[in-house]
């Protein structure tokens, strides 16, 4: 290769250049890097010579980027930030996870004993992490909302294709009511006959039912639907995890076979950073272990 075009650039010199810009001076960059000011200045000159461009305009009080210097800083600073963050996170791998972890979940899962035990276990094992559990019925922009993890039902898609998606579990649903309600109003033979009864539904289970059904009550409060079914106010489609104990005690009765309804798939969603913080990694692992 022709020597005129053989550019020998040191990545260490580019890093020093980024430090000079970031700390707004050669002296500050030298102090940060533990080098003598004269050496930092000389290596900046060597970088400019190798690239064939002046990168900084030096004045007595400050530094000013040339057009080429501004372009090089924009290209170099982001990868360096990523490497610094990666190094910091790797050091934290052996430390107890710390900070605040935000988890968004649908109400259907938040009311279950299995989720409560999962959160209890996380709090016991990772005492230095503060948990914020939010109930949401829509897909969130996790980066803008600063949410670390979201649990999504199958009928909702993540807002961004680059989010990691891990299927956790398929939740069966049961159509239930109280024995008193059946005694007073009769028993539907199939899904189509539900229009003749007081049907209680939520946004989550509505997606599991055929279109065209009439609803006596529509609410995202599953606890409300559960209480109304118990008190004989109608027929509700509820997650089996929520009502198994009530069925076993005879407080609720399954009206139609579970095969009449589609199971609801629950997916764990989180952004795709280059490196996942330990607090998030621990929660992801716990979710996968619990629902496996």
């Amino acid at each position: 290769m022709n020597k005129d075009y053989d550019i020998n650039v040191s990545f260490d010199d580019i890093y020093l250049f980024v430090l000079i810009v970031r700390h707004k001076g050669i002296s500050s960059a030298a102090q940060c890097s533990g080098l003598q000011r004269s050496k930092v200045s000389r290596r900046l000159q060597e970088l400019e010579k190798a690239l064939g461009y002046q990168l900084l305009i030096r004045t007595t009080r400050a530094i000013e980027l040339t057009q080429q210097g501004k372009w090089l800083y924009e290209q170099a600073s982001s990868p360096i930030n990523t490497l610094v963050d990666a190094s910091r996170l790797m050091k934290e791998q052996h430390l107890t996870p710390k900070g605040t972890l935000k988890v968004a979940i649908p109400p259907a899962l938040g009311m279950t004993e299995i989720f409560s035990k999962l959160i209890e276990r996380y709090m016991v094992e990772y005492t230095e992490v503060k948990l914020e559990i939010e109930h949401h019925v829509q897909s969130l922009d996790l980066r803008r909302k600063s949410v670390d993890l979201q649990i999504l039902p199958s009928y909702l898609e993540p807002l961004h294709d680059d989010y990691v998606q891990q299927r956790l579990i398929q939740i069966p649903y049961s159509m239930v009511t109280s024995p008193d309600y059946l005694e007073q109003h009769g028993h539907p033979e199939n899904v189509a006959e539900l229009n003749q009864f007081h049907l209680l539904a939520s946004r989550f289970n509505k997606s599991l039912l055929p279109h065209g059904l009439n609803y006596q009550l529509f609410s995202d409060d599953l606890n409300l639907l559960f209480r109304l079914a118990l008190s004989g106010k109608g027929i509700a489609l509820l997650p089996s995890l929520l009502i198994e104990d009530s069925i076993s005690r005879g407080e609720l009765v399954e009206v139609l076979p579970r095969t009449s309804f589609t199971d609801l798939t629950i997916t764990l969603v989180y952004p795709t950073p280059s490196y996942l913080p330990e607090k998030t990694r621990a929660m992801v692992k716990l979710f996968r272990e619990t629902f496996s």
Side-chain angles (χ1 to χ4, degrees):
M1 181 182 289
N2 190 313
K3 290 185 178 181
D4 293 338
Y5 296 94
D6 187 7
I7 300 177
N8 185 15
V9 176
S10 167
F11 287 106
D12 288 340
D13 291 348
I14 293 178
Y15 176 62
L16 284 177
F17 164 70
V18 171
L19 288 182
I20 292 171
V21 178
R22 186 172 296 167
H23 293 279
K24 301 179 180 179
I26 294 176
S27 298
S28 298
Q31 185 177 2
C32 176
S33 61
L35 300 174
Q36 295 182 349
R37 186 188 187 284
S38 58
K39 186 172 184 178
V40 174
S41 179
R42 182 174 67 254
R43 288 176 63 174
L44 173 63
Q45 294 173 7
E46 291 173 355
L47 177 62
E48 291 178 323
K49 182 178 180 181
L51 295 175
Y53 291 101
Q54 183 179 358
L55 302 174
L56 299 175
I57 300 173
R58 305 153 183 83
T59 66
T60 55
R61 293 186 178 182
I63 60 170
E64 181 180 344
L65 285 169
T66 64
Q67 182 177 355
Q68 291 81 9
K70 182 178 180 181
W71 182 88
L72 179 61
Y73 178 74
E74 290 174 349
Q75 301 304 310
S77 59
S78 181
I80 287 177
N81 287 339
T82 300
L83 289 172
V84 171
D85 290 342
S87 300
R88 184 184 303 114
L89 285 169
M90 288 181 70
K91 291 179 181 178
E92 292 176 353
Q93 292 285 330
H94 304 290
L95 301 177
T96 302
K98 299 179 180 179
T100 300
L101 182 71
K102 291 186 179 182
V103 182
I105 64 171
L109 182 62
M111 292 177 58
T112 61
E113 184 178 359
I114 189 172
F115 180 76
S116 298
K117 288 183 176 179
L118 181 152
I119 295 301
E120 182 180 356
R121 179 180 167 188
Y122 187 93
M123 292 178 65
V124 170
E125 294 185 12
Y126 307 104
T127 57
E128 296 189 46
V129 178
K130 297 180 180 179
L131 284 173
E132 293 185 11
I133 310 298
E134 302 178 355
H135 290 164
H136 289 277
V137 293
Q138 72 278 350
S139 184
L140 300 178
D141 188 334
L142 302 182
R143 296 188 182 96
R144 289 182 178 272
K145 297 291 185 180
S146 298
V147 174
D148 299 285
L149 299 168
Q150 182 172 22
I151 305 299
L152 283 181
S154 53
Y155 63 87
L156 288 178
E157 294 290 335
L159 292 186
H160 298 285
D161 293 336
D162 64 337
Y163 285 172
V164 177
Q165 302 177 48
Q166 297 183 5
R167 193 174 76 169
L168 293 177
I169 192 175
Q170 284 186 289
I171 299 179
Y173 270 66
S174 299
M175 184 69 74
V176 295
T177 189
S178 68
D180 289 342
Y181 184 86
L182 290 180
E183 186 176 340
Q184 295 179 25
H185 298 87
H187 197 293
E189 297 297 329
N190 51 58
V191 174
E193 290 187 6
L194 289 174
N195 271 330
Q196 303 172 24
F197 298 84
H198 296 156
L199 186 57
L200 314 174
S202 73
R203 189 191 316 268
F204 290 92
N205 55 39
K206 185 180 179 181
S207 65
L208 310 179
L209 293 169
H211 294 291
L213 289 178
N214 298 318
Y215 299 95
Q216 180 73 15
L217 177 71
F218 182 82
S219 173
D220 286 327
D221 186 345
L222 294 185
N223 194 34
L224 173 61
L225 301 181
F226 177 61
R227 293 198 308 270
L228 290 174
L230 280 174
S231 62
K233 300 301 187 297
I235 299 176
L237 183 62
L238 293 169
S240 301
L241 290 172
L242 181 63
I243 56 178
E244 291 288 0
D245 290 342
S246 296
I247 292 176
S248 63
R249 291 192 297 264
E251 299 169 345
L252 291 174
V253 178
E254 290 193 74
V255 174
L256 295 173
R258 295 183 182 182
T259 53
S260 302
F261 316 104
T262 305
D263 291 347
L264 189 66
T265 301
I266 298 297
T267 302
L268 178 63
V269 179
Y270 53 93
T272 318
S274 301
Y275 297 89
L276 201 62
E278 270 304 290
K279 62 180 182 181
T280 309
R281 190 189 308 277
M283 182 61 86
V284 170
K285 181 181 178 181
L286 190 55
F287 263 111
R288 296 180 66 179
E289 289 177 354
T290 301
F291 289 97
S292 63

